[in-house]
Amino acid sequence: VRVISYGQDQTEILQLQDQFEQLQRKVKGYQTEVEDLREKELDNHYLIARSNETKHILKTIHNVSKTDATILLLGPSGVGKSTFARAVHDQSNRKKEPFIEVNCSTIPESLFESEIFGYEPGSFTGANKQGRQGLIEQADSGTLFLDEIGELPLAMQAKLLKVLQEKKIKRIGGKKENHINFRLVAATNQDLKEMVSQGKFRLDLFYRLNVIPIQIPALHERKEDIPLLIQHYLEKTNDKYQKYKKIHPSTYEVLTHYHWPGNIRELENLIERLILTIEEPIIFPEHLPQSITGQVEQPEDSTFLAIEQECVENFDLKKTLENVERQLIAKAWKKCKTTYEMAEHLGISQPTVIYKLKKYKQYL
């Protein structure tokens, strides 16, 4: 009898659907960026970086960590090469897998092969009856960190080179070769090129390791990091021993200009020793060992370091400004001969100088 027809314009719906899909893609992109930034922040939470040198190292590590390229960390003893190696692992796609650290200088040469490559049951007198998995096998799917690789015996260098080339390993006394998938990070405080010329290090292994060399400077070459490192180890040690010690800004200034031949390791040990042996709640320069105070480089004007540290330690704006003002007044009092000269030096009026001198008289 009749026909009922129903129609609807789909143009608006299709446009809305297209806009919705575009928004979904944008949200997904933003989520990826946020996750990447969050991951970078979390991975670097234990690394102190204020100097340009350290920031450049962290940027390089962030760029190469997602790859499986071999990294060679270079630098003097105590600069934190193992910490940077850990950062490489934590930012890599292998971060959920094992991180195996091997100090090549601490394993006796006679035991090196069995420790690194492992052995089958009954391979030699005194061997474990069940055999033993080597350190390289333990790093399967993860990261193998060979610290002090310059101490690796020549015989082991040839075997390690073969493992790196073929990604296969055979235990002592074994007949079967097993495929091993690991990412290699090596470190040394020695000049490997010089060792190659002396015949102490294999040239082919050097080129195999020297894919991405990262030079870590000594601590005295990145002074901007020192106050933050001091604060970091101060908080860490206070928390460890349930102490509440503080370091006076003048002490920060002395420590910042010390040469630190032992680098970060020396700094960490010093902070722990001071916290445990000094009875006073605040550590002053006179509490420091003579070996440090006698070797401090005296800068022409290092007041800004004490001011900077005051800002790091204090979040009370009024108190911070007052302390900074006091330090500047005290510095000008020592440097200038008259209150008029102080006024010109500080950029304030002479009556203001007199008022400030009266205010801070006890500190001058």
Side-chain angles (χ1 to χ4, degrees):
V1 178
R2 63 177 62 85
V3 176
I4 299 175
S5 175
Y6 175 78
Q8 183 179 10
D9 187 358
Q10 297 291 317
T11 305
E12 186 176 357
I13 294 176
L14 292 173
Q15 288 177 345
L16 288 171
Q17 185 177 357
D18 184 56
Q19 290 175 6
F20 177 71
E21 290 175 354
Q22 289 181 14
L23 285 172
Q24 278 189 317
R25 287 193 294 270
K26 284 185 178 180
V27 168
K28 189 174 181 180
Y30 292 145
Q31 285 177 336
T32 303
E33 285 185 33
V34 169
E35 287 174 2
D36 185 56
L37 290 171
R38 185 181 295 148
E39 180 182 282
K40 185 177 179 181
E41 179 67 23
L42 289 173
D43 288 337
N44 288 339
H45 75 279
Y46 50 83
L47 293 170
I48 306 297
R50 173 171 288 179
S51 66
N52 292 330
E53 294 84 355
T54 311
K55 287 179 180 178
H56 177 70
I57 292 171
L58 294 185
K59 184 177 180 181
T60 302
I61 286 175
H62 184 70
N63 291 337
V64 302
S65 290
K66 300 296 183 184
T67 71
D68 276 342
T70 300
I71 294 177
L72 179 61
L73 301 171
L74 305 167
S77 180
V79 293
K81 295 188 287 293
S82 59
T83 304
F84 286 104
R86 170 64 72 170
V88 171
H89 175 75
D90 288 348
Q91 295 186 45
S92 72
N93 297 324
R94 301 172 181 265
K95 60 185 177 182
K96 294 182 180 180
E97 302 298 334
F99 175 81
I100 304 299
E101 181 174 350
V102 182
N103 191 320
C104 300
S105 65
T106 60
I107 304 176
E109 187 172 350
S110 58
L111 300 176
F112 205 96
E113 187 173 3
S114 61
E115 289 290 325
I116 293 293
F117 298 103
Y119 54 85
E120 295 293 346
S123 300
F124 52 87
T125 304
N128 190 303
K129 293 181 180 180
Q130 286 77 39
R132 186 173 181 179
Q133 190 181 49
L135 292 169
I136 294 180
E137 282 188 82
Q138 293 177 30
D140 191 24
S141 300
T143 301
L144 176 67
F145 173 46
L146 296 180
D147 197 9
E148 304 297 348
I149 198 167
E151 303 291 335
L152 196 67
L154 275 171
M156 291 301 101
Q157 291 179 25
K159 294 187 177 184
L160 176 62
L161 179 63
K162 184 179 179 182
V163 172
L164 296 179
Q165 290 173 337
E166 301 177 2
K167 293 294 182 179
K168 294 179 181 179
I169 192 170
K170 184 167 66 173
R171 294 184 182 182
I172 297 175
K175 297 180 180 179
K176 181 183 177 182
E177 285 189 328
N178 298 318
H179 286 272
I180 305 295
N181 175 23
F182 64 90
R183 199 262 182 83
L184 179 66
V185 179
T188 182
N189 59 1
Q190 301 188 47
D191 187 341
L192 293 185
K193 285 186 178 180
E194 181 64 25
M195 292 184 68
V196 169
S197 65
Q198 295 174 359
K200 296 180 180 179
F201 202 85
R202 292 180 62 100
L203 180 63
D204 45 7
L205 179 58
F206 170 72
Y207 284 122
R208 176 67 65 173
L209 297 173
N210 198 44
V211 179
I212 301 178
I214 298 178
Q215 183 71 44
I216 303 174
L219 185 56
H220 72 271
E221 296 176 4
R222 42 189 174 114
K223 291 184 181 296
E224 297 94 332
D225 294 340
I226 295 176
L228 293 180
L229 284 166
I230 295 172
Q231 185 66 23
H232 168 72
Y233 287 116
L234 178 69
E235 293 174 357
K236 179 181 176 181
T237 310
N238 271 330
D239 184 62
K240 179 180 178 180
Y241 296 108
Q242 295 297 301
K243 301 286 186 179
Y244 304 95
K245 301 293 177 66
K246 290 187 176 182
I247 294 180
H248 193 268
S250 59
T251 310
Y252 275 96
E253 190 170 324
V254 173
L255 294 177
T256 301
H257 290 88
Y258 175 55
H259 190 66
W260 295 110
N263 295 294
I264 296 176
R265 188 178 296 121
E266 181 185 3
L267 186 150
E268 182 180 6
N269 292 340
L270 174 69
I271 298 301
E272 184 170 8
R273 182 165 71 250
L274 290 173
I275 287 177
L276 294 177
T277 59
I278 303 303
E279 295 181 357
E280 289 82 350
I282 299 178
I283 299 171
F284 289 93
E286 53 264 31
H287 294 135
L288 299 175
Q290 179 62 34
S291 58
I292 290 180
T293 56
Q295 298 182 35
V296 172
E297 303 170 6
Q298 296 297 332
E300 292 182 5
D301 187 359
S302 55
T303 306
F304 75 93
L305 289 168
I307 293 173
E308 181 181 1
Q309 189 55 42
E310 178 66 39
C311 296
V312 169
E313 285 191 327
N314 215 327
F315 291 97
D316 187 318
L317 180 60
K318 184 178 179 181
K319 185 178 179 181
T320 300
L321 291 175
E322 187 175 293
N323 288 341
V324 170
E325 182 182 70
R326 173 173 54 79
Q327 292 178 51
L328 291 174
I329 292 293
K331 188 73 176 180
W333 173 252
K334 293 179 180 179
K335 186 174 182 179
C336 303
K337 297 179 180 179
T338 65
T339 55
Y340 291 98
E341 191 177 341
M342 284 182 64
E344 185 178 353
H345 179 73
L346 295 170
I348 57 178
S349 66
Q350 191 262 352
T352 303
V353 169
I354 294 175
Y355 168 76
K356 299 293 184 185
L357 288 173
K358 290 180 179 178
K359 180 179 180 181
Y360 300 118
K361 183 178 180 181
Q362 59 178 319
Y363 299 105
L364 301 177

mmCIF file of all heavy atoms in Angstrom, residues 196-221:
data_model
loop_
_atom_site.group_PDB
_atom_site.id
_atom_site.type_symbol
_atom_site.label_atom_id
_atom_site.label_comp_id
_atom_site.label_asym_id
_atom_site.label_seq_id
_atom_site.Cartn_x
_atom_site.Cartn_y
_atom_site.Cartn_z
ATOM 1 N N VAL A 196 98.202 -0.844 22.626
ATOM 2 C CA VAL A 196 98.301 -1.543 21.337
ATOM 3 C C VAL A 196 99.701 -1.401 20.765
ATOM 4 O O VAL A 196 100.316 -2.368 20.301
ATOM 5 C CB VAL A 196 97.246 -0.997 20.338
ATOM 6 C CG1 VAL A 196 97.525 -1.524 18.930
ATOM 7 C CG2 VAL A 196 95.844 -1.394 20.780
ATOM 8 N N SER A 197 100.252 -0.181 20.813
ATOM 9 C CA SER A 197 101.598 0.063 20.279
ATOM 10 C C SER A 197 102.659 -0.691 21.080
ATOM 11 O O SER A 197 103.714 -1.044 20.547
ATOM 12 C CB SER A 197 101.909 1.565 20.282
ATOM 13 O OG SER A 197 101.955 2.075 21.611
ATOM 14 N N GLN A 198 102.370 -0.961 22.365
ATOM 15 C CA GLN A 198 103.307 -1.700 23.212
ATOM 16 C C GLN A 198 103.095 -3.212 23.130
ATOM 17 O O GLN A 198 103.819 -3.974 23.766
ATOM 18 C CB GLN A 198 103.149 -1.244 24.667
ATOM 19 C CG GLN A 198 103.536 0.208 24.900
ATOM 20 C CD GLN A 198 103.237 0.657 26.320
ATOM 21 O OE1 GLN A 198 102.717 -0.109 27.137
ATOM 22 N NE2 GLN A 198 103.557 1.903 26.636
ATOM 23 N N GLY A 199 102.102 -3.636 22.367
ATOM 24 C CA GLY A 199 101.831 -5.060 22.226
ATOM 25 C C GLY A 199 101.090 -5.663 23.397
ATOM 26 O O GLY A 199 101.056 -6.885 23.557
ATOM 27 N N LYS A 200 100.471 -4.818 24.234
ATOM 28 C CA LYS A 200 99.765 -5.308 25.415
ATOM 29 C C LYS A 200 98.267 -5.448 25.184
ATOM 30 O O LYS A 200 97.546 -5.988 26.031
ATOM 31 C CB LYS A 200 100.015 -4.368 26.603
ATOM 32 C CG LYS A 200 101.471 -4.303 27.045
ATOM 33 C CD LYS A 200 101.628 -3.347 28.216
ATOM 34 C CE LYS A 200 103.079 -3.267 28.676
ATOM 35 N NZ LYS A 200 103.234 -2.312 29.815
ATOM 36 N N PHE A 201 97.798 -4.937 24.040
ATOM 37 C CA PHE A 201 96.368 -5.012 23.742
ATOM 38 C C PHE A 201 96.202 -5.244 22.249
ATOM 39 O O PHE A 201 96.887 -4.612 21.428
ATOM 40 C CB PHE A 201 95.647 -3.722 24.164
ATOM 41 C CG PHE A 201 94.180 -3.892 24.393
ATOM 42 C CD1 PHE A 201 93.697 -4.334 25.614
ATOM 43 C CD2 PHE A 201 93.265 -3.618 23.381
ATOM 44 C CE1 PHE A 201 92.334 -4.502 25.833
ATOM 45 C CE2 PHE A 201 91.907 -3.781 23.584
ATOM 46 C CZ PHE A 201 91.436 -4.225 24.813
ATOM 47 N N ARG A 202 95.288 -6.143 21.896
ATOM 48 C CA ARG A 202 95.093 -6.508 20.496
ATOM 49 C C ARG A 202 94.460 -5.372 19.710
ATOM 50 O O ARG A 202 93.471 -4.766 20.155
ATOM 51 C CB ARG A 202 94.213 -7.750 20.394
ATOM 52 C CG ARG A 202 94.854 -9.027 20.922
ATOM 53 C CD ARG A 202 93.888 -10.181 20.778
ATOM 54 N NE ARG A 202 93.570 -10.416 19.370
ATOM 55 C CZ ARG A 202 94.134 -11.375 18.625
ATOM 56 N NH1 ARG A 202 95.059 -12.164 19.157
ATOM 57 N NH2 ARG A 202 93.788 -11.548 17.373
ATOM 58 N N LEU A 203 95.015 -5.094 18.538
ATOM 59 C CA LEU A 203 94.491 -4.017 17.700
ATOM 60 C C LEU A 203 93.082 -4.334 17.222
ATOM 61 O O LEU A 203 92.205 -3.452 17.225
ATOM 62 C CB LEU A 203 95.426 -3.796 16.499
ATOM 63 C CG LEU A 203 95.006 -2.691 15.510
ATOM 64 C CD1 LEU A 203 94.995 -1.332 16.204
ATOM 65 C CD2 LEU A 203 95.942 -2.672 14.306
ATOM 66 N N ASP A 204 92.836 -5.586 16.811
ATOM 67 C CA ASP A 204 91.514 -5.946 16.304
ATOM 68 C C ASP A 204 90.450 -5.844 17.394
ATOM 69 O O ASP A 204 89.313 -5.430 17.140
ATOM 70 C CB ASP A 204 91.524 -7.352 15.682
ATOM 71 C CG ASP A 204 92.267 -8.372 16.541
ATOM 72 O OD1 ASP A 204 92.659 -8.025 17.675
ATOM 73 O OD2 ASP A 204 92.469 -9.500 16.066
ATOM 74 N N LEU A 205 90.815 -6.191 18.637
ATOM 75 C CA LEU A 205 89.864 -6.050 19.737
ATOM 76 C C LEU A 205 89.613 -4.579 20.049
ATOM 77 O O LEU A 205 88.474 -4.188 20.348
ATOM 78 C CB LEU A 205 90.391 -6.764 20.987
ATOM 79 C CG LEU A 205 89.505 -6.673 22.231
ATOM 80 C CD1 LEU A 205 88.111 -7.233 21.964
ATOM 81 C CD2 LEU A 205 90.142 -7.396 23.422
ATOM 82 N N PHE A 206 90.653 -3.766 19.958
ATOM 83 C CA PHE A 206 90.497 -2.325 20.199
ATOM 84 C C PHE A 206 89.471 -1.731 19.234
ATOM 85 O O PHE A 206 88.578 -0.976 19.647
ATOM 86 C CB PHE A 206 91.839 -1.610 20.043
ATOM 87 C CG PHE A 206 91.718 -0.107 20.037
ATOM 88 C CD1 PHE A 206 91.430 0.588 21.201
ATOM 89 C CD2 PHE A 206 91.873 0.602 18.854
ATOM 90 C CE1 PHE A 206 91.299 1.976 21.197
ATOM 91 C CE2 PHE A 206 91.759 1.983 18.839
ATOM 92 C CZ PHE A 206 91.467 2.671 20.013
ATOM 93 N N TYR A 207 89.581 -2.069 17.944
ATOM 94 C CA TYR A 207 88.634 -1.527 16.970
ATOM 95 C C TYR A 207 87.228 -2.096 17.171
ATOM 96 O O TYR A 207 86.236 -1.429 16.875
ATOM 97 C CB TYR A 207 89.122 -1.804 15.548
ATOM 98 C CG TYR A 207 90.247 -0.891 15.134
ATOM 99 C CD1 TYR A 207 91.475 -1.399 14.726
ATOM 100 C CD2 TYR A 207 90.091 0.493 15.152
ATOM 101 C CE1 TYR A 207 92.518 -0.559 14.355
ATOM 102 C CE2 TYR A 207 91.126 1.345 14.789
ATOM 103 C CZ TYR A 207 92.338 0.815 14.391
ATOM 104 O OH TYR A 207 93.364 1.655 14.033
ATOM 105 N N ARG A 208 87.158 -3.321 17.668
ATOM 106 C CA ARG A 208 85.854 -3.917 17.952
ATOM 107 C C ARG A 208 85.171 -3.201 19.120
ATOM 108 O O ARG A 208 83.948 -3.036 19.135
ATOM 109 C CB ARG A 208 86.033 -5.404 18.272
ATOM 110 C CG ARG A 208 84.784 -6.139 18.673
ATOM 111 C CD ARG A 208 83.776 -6.263 17.567
ATOM 112 N NE ARG A 208 84.242 -7.069 16.462
ATOM 113 C CZ ARG A 208 83.478 -7.435 15.429
ATOM 114 N NH1 ARG A 208 82.214 -7.043 15.397
ATOM 115 N NH2 ARG A 208 83.970 -8.154 14.435
ATOM 116 N N LEU A 209 85.957 -2.739 20.088
ATOM 117 C CA LEU A 209 85.410 -2.046 21.258
ATOM 118 C C LEU A 209 85.150 -0.563 20.999
ATOM 119 O O LEU A 209 84.212 0.020 21.544
ATOM 120 C CB LEU A 209 86.376 -2.176 22.444
ATOM 121 C CG LEU A 209 86.647 -3.582 22.996
ATOM 122 C CD1 LEU A 209 87.745 -3.527 24.044
ATOM 123 C CD2 LEU A 209 85.387 -4.187 23.580
ATOM 124 N N ASN A 210 85.990 0.030 20.169
ATOM 125 C CA ASN A 210 85.994 1.486 19.997
ATOM 126 C C ASN A 210 84.944 1.953 18.984
ATOM 127 O O ASN A 210 85.228 2.749 18.101
ATOM 128 C CB ASN A 210 87.391 1.942 19.573
ATOM 129 C CG ASN A 210 87.598 3.430 19.801
ATOM 130 O OD1 ASN A 210 87.218 3.946 20.844
ATOM 131 N ND2 ASN A 210 88.188 4.111 18.830
ATOM 132 N N VAL A 211 83.718 1.459 19.127
ATOM 133 C CA VAL A 211 82.635 1.854 18.215
ATOM 134 C C VAL A 211 82.108 3.229 18.609
ATOM 135 O O VAL A 211 82.059 4.160 17.816
ATOM 136 C CB VAL A 211 81.505 0.811 18.233
ATOM 137 C CG1 VAL A 211 80.371 1.244 17.295
ATOM 138 C CG2 VAL A 211 82.030 -0.558 17.832
ATOM 139 N N ILE A 212 81.697 3.354 19.873
ATOM 140 C CA ILE A 212 81.232 4.643 20.392
ATOM 141 C C ILE A 212 82.026 4.954 21.652
ATOM 142 O O ILE A 212 81.639 4.574 22.762
ATOM 143 C CB ILE A 212 79.725 4.630 20.690
ATOM 144 C CG1 ILE A 212 78.935 4.294 19.431
ATOM 145 C CG2 ILE A 212 79.269 5.989 21.251
ATOM 146 C CD1 ILE A 212 77.448 4.208 19.626
ATOM 147 N N PRO A 213 83.170 5.617 21.507
ATOM 148 C CA PRO A 213 83.957 5.984 22.699
ATOM 149 C C PRO A 213 83.362 7.211 23.381
ATOM 150 O O PRO A 213 82.978 8.180 22.721
ATOM 151 C CB PRO A 213 85.342 6.288 22.117
ATOM 152 C CG PRO A 213 85.073 6.721 20.709
ATOM 153 C CD PRO A 213 83.832 6.008 20.255
ATOM 154 N N ILE A 214 83.263 7.159 24.696
ATOM 155 C CA ILE A 214 82.752 8.290 25.479
ATOM 156 C C ILE A 214 83.785 8.630 26.539
ATOM 157 O O ILE A 214 84.071 7.822 27.422
ATOM 158 C CB ILE A 214 81.399 7.957 26.128
ATOM 159 C CG1 ILE A 214 80.345 7.651 25.058
ATOM 160 C CG2 ILE A 214 80.934 9.112 27.021
ATOM 161 C CD1 ILE A 214 78.997 7.256 25.623
ATOM 162 N N GLN A 215 84.348 9.822 26.436
ATOM 163 C CA GLN A 215 85.368 10.273 27.382
ATOM 164 C C GLN A 215 84.691 10.960 28.568
ATOM 165 O O GLN A 215 83.974 11.947 28.390
ATOM 166 C CB GLN A 215 86.336 11.238 26.702
ATOM 167 C CG GLN A 215 87.481 11.718 27.582
ATOM 168 C CD GLN A 215 88.498 10.620 27.867
ATOM 169 O OE1 GLN A 215 88.884 9.878 26.975
ATOM 170 N NE2 GLN A 215 88.939 10.538 29.110
ATOM 171 N N ILE A 216 84.917 10.443 29.770
ATOM 172 C CA ILE A 216 84.357 11.036 30.983
ATOM 173 C C ILE A 216 85.450 11.851 31.666
ATOM 174 O O ILE A 216 86.460 11.284 32.094
ATOM 175 C CB ILE A 216 83.824 9.960 31.931
ATOM 176 C CG1 ILE A 216 82.771 9.111 31.206
ATOM 177 C CG2 ILE A 216 83.221 10.586 33.183
ATOM 178 C CD1 ILE A 216 82.283 7.927 31.994
ATOM 179 N N PRO A 217 85.288 13.165 31.769
ATOM 180 C CA PRO A 217 86.351 14.005 32.337
ATOM 181 C C PRO A 217 86.497 13.808 33.840
ATOM 182 O O PRO A 217 85.571 13.360 34.528
ATOM 183 C CB PRO A 217 85.879 15.427 32.010
ATOM 184 C CG PRO A 217 84.404 15.321 31.875
ATOM 185 C CD PRO A 217 84.129 13.946 31.331
ATOM 186 N N ALA A 218 87.674 14.143 34.332
ATOM 187 C CA ALA A 218 87.933 14.101 35.777
ATOM 188 C C ALA A 218 87.023 15.096 36.489
ATOM 189 O O ALA A 218 86.519 16.056 35.888
ATOM 190 C CB ALA A 218 89.396 14.425 36.047
ATOM 191 N N LEU A 219 86.818 14.893 37.777
ATOM 192 C CA LEU A 219 85.872 15.714 38.529
ATOM 193 C C LEU A 219 86.290 17.182 38.555
ATOM 194 O O LEU A 219 85.437 18.064 38.463
ATOM 195 C CB LEU A 219 85.745 15.169 39.957
ATOM 196 C CG LEU A 219 84.698 15.845 40.852
ATOM 197 C CD1 LEU A 219 83.322 15.801 40.213
ATOM 198 C CD2 LEU A 219 84.664 15.177 42.225
ATOM 199 N N HIS A 220 87.602 17.460 38.655
ATOM 200 C CA HIS A 220 88.038 18.860 38.731
ATOM 201 C C HIS A 220 87.833 19.592 37.406
ATOM 202 O O HIS A 220 87.917 20.823 37.359
ATOM 203 C CB HIS A 220 89.508 18.944 39.165
ATOM 204 C CG HIS A 220 90.486 18.512 38.112
ATOM 205 N ND1 HIS A 220 90.902 17.198 37.991
ATOM 206 C CD2 HIS A 220 91.127 19.205 37.135
ATOM 207 C CE1 HIS A 220 91.754 17.108 36.980
ATOM 208 N NE2 HIS A 220 91.900 18.302 36.452
ATOM 209 N N GLU A 221 87.537 18.858 36.340
ATOM 210 C CA GLU A 221 87.281 19.482 35.041
ATOM 211 C C GLU A 221 85.803 19.827 34.854
ATOM 212 O O GLU A 221 85.431 20.422 33.855
ATOM 213 C CB GLU A 221 87.739 18.546 33.919
ATOM 214 C CG GLU A 221 89.242 18.298 33.912
ATOM 215 C CD GLU A 221 89.650 17.290 32.858
ATOM 216 O OE1 GLU A 221 88.775 16.832 32.085
ATOM 217 O OE2 GLU A 221 90.835 16.935 32.799
#
